[in-house]
Amino acid sequence: MNKTIILKIIAIAALLFLMAWVMACIPDFLRTSQQPQATDSQPAAAGSLEQFNQNIRDLVNKVLPSVVNIRVGILEENILGQTQLQEGVGSGVIYDEQGYIITNSHVAADAQQLIVTLNDGTQVEAELVGASRDTDIAVIKIDSNGLKPANFASIEDQHVGDLVIAAGSPFGIQQTVTMGIISGKGRTLPVSSDQLPIVDAVQTDAAINPGNSGGPLININGEVIGINTMGISASGTSSGVGFAIPSDTATNIADQIIQYGRARIPFIGIEITANNTEIPGVAVGNIVENSPASKAGIRTGDIIVEFDQKSITTPFDLLSQLLRKDCGQEVELKIYRDGDYLSIMLELEECPTPRD
């Protein structure tokens, strides 16, 4: 047997030995790298769950001092024609240290009496500052010291599937929290024929029951991302389909109510018509004389495709962006006209017929 053949046999044998050694080591390697390390006193899975529990507890403890119960007294007429004070219940979230509290319009707007119960059990009488039925946002005020305002975050930074917690007083049971996820964003909810729809609503499967209205929807950082407004259910209790007004709209309307005593809903001054083009956007019909649209040079037939750099595909998109603005603000509209895209600056004005 010559030297070349002997060397080949030795090389093959060495290769087979190496392959056998690698195969023998792979299971141990996988067991070491992929399986969690555990101890007799605390398995790894239990440790992870305990940490999750602790995180949720810390989050709840951070938020609940900013959540209030609101007991509402409303004058109603009974079947005998007698006027009686009927009690209702809702929730709210402390907005600032001066005592302003954000809640729902349908909770507080018609109240003759408002009693706020703080996290420590203290009860304080509140007064209505103002309410916007079209956005279902109201602001009430209490005179109390040591209040802890909530932190707010934009809904633009939240995503479908994110964990959320709803806090409030369902059925009057104070300081109740439920957990779920963001099930959807940008929902439109018809309310009544004489009110604007609720636009850009946040959908969640966290339980929203009667009494939760006006309470906060909170992200994992303890920030308010919405004001709970309603749940949809055939039984009247939570069916996993609840909605919140986005924080961007809620805080903008609240700021207006605090400053002016009412919500100033901006308008452009256009009538919307059917969009028969292939360009996604809102088609402009008639234009109100001497309105922001007419002053800015918008024409009938223009297609609004962006509002302040936000894409616009439906009238509800346009309304949701308007509700985040204040009168007097200048915004940029991107429109499509005769085959070209144009940028038009427009100063928003208050709707000439107040709706609240």
Side-chain angles (χ1 to χ4, degrees), residues 247-284:
S247 53
D248 307 77
T249 299
T251 55
N252 182 45
I253 297 299
D255 288 339
Q256 293 178 31
I257 290 173
I258 292 169
Q259 184 172 356
Y260 305 110
R262 58 186 173 83
R264 306 197 309 167
I265 305 298
F267 93 128
I268 296 177
I270 62 171
E271 292 181 7
I272 295 171
T273 190
N275 184 356
N276 297 318
T277 73
E278 296 181 354
I279 305 299
V282 171
V284 177

Side-chain angles (χ1 to χ4, degrees), residues 21 67 100 160 177 225 256 337:
W21 179 82
V67 182
Y100 290 106
V160 173
V177 296
I225 62 169
Q256 293 178 31
R337 177 191 296 168

Side-chain angles (χ1 to χ4, degrees), residues 175-190:
Q175 303 298 70
T176 296
V177 296
T178 55
M179 189 170 71
I181 63 170
I182 295 177
S183 305
K185 292 171 59 178
R187 306 303 196 199
T188 299
L189 308 175

Side-chain angles (χ1 to χ4, degrees), residues 104-106 132-137 186-192 195-202 227-230 243-246 249 316 319-320 323:
N104 283 146
S105 173
H106 76 260
S132 167
R133 296 184 189 276
D134 282 331
T135 60
D136 200 21
I137 290 295
R187 306 303 196 199
T188 299
L189 308 175
V191 180
S192 65
Q195 284 184 239
L196 295 175
I198 294 177
V199 294
D200 202 25
V202 187
I227 301 297
N228 301 320
T229 185
M230 70 170 69
F243 298 94
I245 299 158
T249 299
F316 299 125
L319 177 58
S320 69
L323 293 176

Side-chain angles (χ1 to χ4, degrees), residues 213-227:
S213 294
L217 187 68
I218 302 151
N219 66 13
I220 60 171
N221 298 317
E223 299 164 322
V224 178
I225 62 169
I227 301 297

Side-chain angles (χ1 to χ4, degrees), residues 9-75:
I9 292 173
I10 292 172
I12 292 171
L15 180 60
L16 291 174
F17 175 79
L18 179 62
M19 292 176 62
W21 179 82
V22 171
M23 293 300 293
C25 290
I26 283 177
D28 289 336
F29 171 77
L30 290 177
R31 282 193 293 270
T32 301
S33 63
Q34 294 183 0
Q35 294 189 8
Q37 299 299 310
T39 65
D40 291 338
S41 62
Q42 185 185 55
S48 299
L49 289 174
E50 177 56 37
Q51 185 60 54
F52 179 74
N53 271 344
Q54 185 62 55
N55 292 342
I56 296 299
R57 283 196 297 268
D58 292 344
L59 174 59
V60 169
N61 290 334
K62 177 181 179 180
V63 167
L64 284 186
S66 303
V67 182
V68 303
N69 167 270
I70 303 174
R71 196 167 75 248
V72 181
I74 300 175
L75 289 176

Side-chain angles (χ1 to χ4, degrees), residues 157-170:
D157 300 325
Q158 320 305 316
H159 306 280
V160 173
D162 286 355
L163 286 173
V164 290
I165 286 178
S169 302

